[in-house]
Every structure is written in C-alpha cells, then in structure tokens.
Amino acid sequence: QRVLELEVHIDRRTHAYLADHSIAGTVVVPVGLAVEWFSRIARAFRPDLRLRAVNDIRVLKGIKLDHFEAEGDRLTLRCRQLSNGDGALLELEILGAGGVRHYRAQAEMAKTGAAVEPRLAPQPILQAWGNAKIYGDVLFHGREFQVIETLDGIGEGGISGTLKGVHEAGWK
C-alpha cells in the first residue's frame, strides 16, 4: 500500500507567527495549522482528485515545540489511501519524535470536475457572545495570533464568527 510521508521543520525563522501561540512559554501547534497540513498532503497524495473535506479530526496529543527558539522541531505528515472508487478516502496523521501520533484525520477526495453536492452541517443553536473580552480572558493568543474579528454566538454545538485570513494576518 502506497504511503506518502512529508517532513515539516518548525522554528522561529520558518513560522515566526507561532511565537504568539504559546502556553506557559512553550509554543504549541494550533489545530488549524494541523488541518492546513492535512489538506496539503491529501492534495499532494492524490493530485488527480480534489479535496472535498477533512473529517474526523482527532487531537491525540498536543504538539509542544520545545526547540522552537533553537534548532527547531521536526514533524512527519503521513497519508495513505483507505478506499478507492469515484474518489478516495485518505487516512492522515501527524507524528512527532519517536513516532508519537499527535493528530489523526480523514480526507474525502472527489473527482476533479465532478459535481459534488455540498453537505452542510446542521446549524448549531447559538447564544449571543455578548461583550466579553476574547483575548486575555478566554484565549491565550498573543498579538500576532489574534485573528478573530467578530464572534457572533457560541453554544454546545459550536461557535460562529469571522476570522482574518492568513494573508491579512501576515502569515506565509
């Protein structure tokens, strides 16, 4: 069975914006970045298909970047195909030192050019966010990582708001 593994090297020079995503002085990889990596490896694994969705995202063990300020940390992205047909279902993983599994997910791939019915998630029932301060009270993000522009509501089923994109935030 074919497997694609890619290595990611992370340090202050390559991912400076992550310095503002730290807990107790240790930089940690945000889930959103893990999902971005998953989407990239899925598209690289099956360039003949298009990415439909990244599903079943599991945080198995958060990723602490203990060497962010020095030589950096290395992670391995792994992708393998679970099924084939009109599209493909891919298994995705992020591994750390010693092969420790940090994240796991699945990618749904669809034929390029094929009409794909959007699958909309049911809209959660949300309560108004109110005037509570987001950064400093609820979230630990430093200035460079403060990308939430508005919060429209929050509830057991989710949260709704507006975020800055990576270009507007100045990330590469």
Side-chain angles (χ1 to χ4, degrees):
Q1 181 172 9
R2 189 169 79 104
V3 174
L4 174 62
E5 288 189 352
L6 302 175
E7 188 174 275
V8 176
H9 177 259
I10 305 170
D11 62 22
R12 177 176 283 284
R13 191 176 39 80
T14 62
H15 295 76
Y17 62 90
L18 288 180
D20 277 343
H21 196 263
S22 61
I23 300 173
T26 302
V27 176
V28 295
V29 173
V31 173
L33 185 54
V35 173
E36 171 67 20
W37 290 338
F38 282 153
S39 69
R40 288 180 185 213
I41 195 168
R43 291 190 312 261
F45 187 80
R46 289 297 307 264
D48 58 315
L49 300 175
R50 67 183 164 119
L51 179 64
R52 179 177 179 177
V54 177
N55 297 313
D56 196 25
I57 301 161
R58 304 288 172 117
V59 180
L60 305 172
K61 182 177 181 168
I63 302 173
K64 295 179 182 178
L65 301 175
D66 295 320
H67 307 288
F68 184 76
E69 297 293 341
E71 72 272 10
D73 295 270
R74 295 191 183 281
L75 301 170
T76 300
L77 309 180
R78 181 182 293 159
C79 181
R80 72 181 181 93
Q81 191 160 306
L82 297 176
S83 71
N84 200 1
D86 286 341
L89 182 64
L90 308 178
E91 177 184 67
L92 310 166
E93 294 178 303
I94 299 176
L95 308 165
V100 173
R101 288 175 50 198
H102 289 280
Y103 286 84
R104 185 183 76 201
Q106 292 185 345
E108 284 183 52
M109 306 299 286
K111 284 185 189 178
T112 303
V116 176
E117 285 293 317
R119 286 184 292 147
L120 299 176
Q123 293 298 308
I125 297 171
L126 302 176
Q127 305 300 315
W129 175 256
N131 294 325
K133 188 174 155 187
I134 299 168
Y135 295 108
D137 292 340
V138 177
L139 296 177
F140 60 87
H141 300 142
R143 188 178 67 74
E144 293 297 319
F145 221 80
Q146 294 179 6
V147 296
I148 299 173
E149 292 185 334
T150 65
L151 276 181
D152 305 322
I154 189 166
E156 281 187 32
I159 190 167
S160 176
T162 305
L163 306 177
K164 290 181 191 175
V166 295
H167 295 292
E168 188 178 349
W171 303 352
K172 292 183 180 180

